[in-house]
Amino acid sequence: MARKKRKSFWKNIKVRYQLSVTDETHLNEVFSLRLSKIKFFLFSCFLFLLIFSLVGILILATPIKNFLPGYLDEKYRDEVVNYSLVVDSLSKSVEIQEAYLENLKRILSGEISPDTIMSIDSLQYNMSFSGLYPSEEEEQFRKEFEQEEKYNLSLIDIQSNALPAFFAPTKGIITSSFDSNKKHFGIDIATAPDEVVVAVLDGVVIFSGFDINVGNVIVLQHSNDFLSVYKHNSFLLKQTGEAVKAGDIIAVSGNTGTHSTGYHLHFELWHKRKPVNPEEYILF
């Protein structure tokens, strides 16, 4: 009985069927196809594999794969991040320009005195971006960090042999020296993660913010036409307009900015609007 069923099965799938396409007007056969069930099954599998292979090649060999959920090439991912930072910087610039024009409008209308046109207070604007002001957690971290490191003299290298007025900006090893010919107007100091950064002289913070290339930057204006620049920080602990003393902690070293290649501080020292070699003024 089982043999009869097997023979019947194989006989059934080997039966050939004919599919014909006929011209209705003249009853002429236009196309005909003769297939058995097993041939139809094999032909369907081959067609499925062919379509599946073509679709796979199309996805792997073209940018279509970047539109698939969960897949994004590292190159494109970096570009998306960079473009986001550029858009954020442009938005901030537009906000500043709008605030400046609004202040000019108020001056022309007589609402405020023309003498305040160069005043920092007259150019203040209300930032509406959530990421530009530090959060409460960051503020608390900064306060605790400053309090803990305030009296830690091991983190501050006081220069007694060179120029006593200067402090070393941070502890670390110089990996790249000053070279004005290569437009490297400072020195790179490799540091441990989250090493403190201190002011080299008494001064005033004239800039404290983020730059897409060099990350978190803080710039200090000092007496005697000195200016110091600290780049690639992970945190900035002072804001624009704050006065600092030599040795005060102003930032925490980091690895921010597209030009950064690791945890380090890029430190620049300018005198009379010209870059000078920090190693000639500070003993590192």
Side-chain angles (χ1 to χ4, degrees):
M1 189 68 180
R3 287 184 178 180
K4 288 183 179 180
K5 284 185 178 181
R6 287 198 206 98
K7 288 182 179 180
S8 176
F9 171 76
W10 287 108
K11 185 177 181 180
N12 185 30
I13 64 174
K14 290 181 180 179
V15 173
R16 302 181 68 182
Y17 296 89
Q18 179 173 333
L19 175 65
S20 299
V21 179
T22 306
D23 185 353
E24 185 178 357
T25 305
H26 304 92
L27 299 179
N28 294 328
E29 187 178 43
V30 179
F31 172 78
S32 65
L33 179 66
R34 294 179 178 86
L35 285 175
S36 62
K37 289 183 178 179
I38 188 170
K39 287 184 177 180
F40 177 76
F41 174 75
L42 293 175
F43 176 77
S44 300
C45 291
F46 171 77
L47 186 62
F48 173 78
L49 291 174
L50 179 63
I51 294 174
F52 182 81
S53 300
L54 291 175
V55 171
I57 293 173
L58 182 66
I59 292 175
L60 295 176
T62 64
I64 293 178
K65 60 179 177 290
N66 294 314
F67 295 97
L68 297 178
Y71 184 94
L72 187 62
D73 188 81
E74 184 177 353
K75 175 184 175 183
Y76 293 105
R77 190 184 300 112
D78 292 340
E79 288 182 356
V80 169
V81 173
N82 290 335
Y83 288 143
S84 298
L85 293 174
V86 170
V87 170
D88 183 72
S89 298
L90 290 175
S91 299
K92 182 178 178 181
S93 298
V94 170
E95 187 78 6
I96 293 173
Q97 291 296 327
E98 289 179 351
Y100 182 77
L101 293 175
E102 179 64 25
N103 279 278
L104 287 181
K105 182 179 178 181
R106 292 173 61 193
I107 291 172
L108 293 175
S109 63
E111 293 182 27
I112 58 178
S113 173
D115 296 335
T116 62
I117 183 63
M118 297 305 294
S119 171
I120 295 176
D121 294 335
S122 69
L123 299 180
Q124 292 298 317
Y125 58 94
N126 182 20
M127 290 183 172
S128 59
F129 305 104
S130 59
L132 296 181
Y133 278 127
S135 63
E136 294 182 3
E137 290 78 7
E138 290 178 332
E139 287 289 353
Q140 184 64 27
F141 169 78
R142 292 178 182 183
K143 291 179 181 179
E144 293 177 356
F145 193 89
E146 285 184 315
Q147 189 63 29
E148 290 175 0
E149 305 296 340
K150 187 174 182 180
Y151 302 105
N152 191 350
L153 299 180
S154 65
L155 298 173
I156 302 174
D157 186 11
I158 302 177
Q159 309 305 315
S160 57
N161 297 328
L163 295 176
F166 281 89
F167 280 65
T170 189
K171 291 180 66 67
I173 301 173
I174 297 177
T175 56
S176 183
S177 299
F178 176 88
D179 191 343
S180 58
N181 294 327
K182 295 181 180 180
K183 296 185 178 181
H184 190 252
F185 300 124
I187 60 173
D188 292 335
I189 307 173
T191 68
D194 299 329
E195 185 67 73
V196 296
V197 177
V198 303
V200 295
L201 290 171
D202 294 353
V204 176
V205 180
I206 61 173
F207 180 80
S208 178
F210 179 81
D211 180 272
I212 187 173
N213 295 318
V214 295
N216 292 315
V217 186
I218 188 166
V219 182
L220 305 182
Q221 179 67 59
H222 311 286
S223 59
N224 300 326
D225 292 325
F226 275 103
L227 184 141
S228 58
V229 183
Y230 314 76
K231 300 178 179 180
H232 303 302
N233 301 287
S234 59
F235 288 101
L236 301 178
L237 304 177
K238 301 296 181 181
Q239 297 181 357
T240 302
E242 286 191 60
V244 297
K245 294 290 185 180
D248 283 354
I249 300 173
I250 58 174
V252 179
S253 66
N255 183 28
T256 59
T258 57
H259 291 177
S260 181
T261 56
Y263 278 94
H264 76 287
L265 171 70
H266 177 86
F267 173 72
E268 297 178 8
L269 189 64
W270 294 65
H271 186 233
K272 295 183 178 180
R273 299 184 180 181
K274 293 182 180 180
V276 295
N277 187 356
E279 293 184 79
E280 297 179 358
Y281 293 83
I282 306 171
L283 182 62
F284 290 91

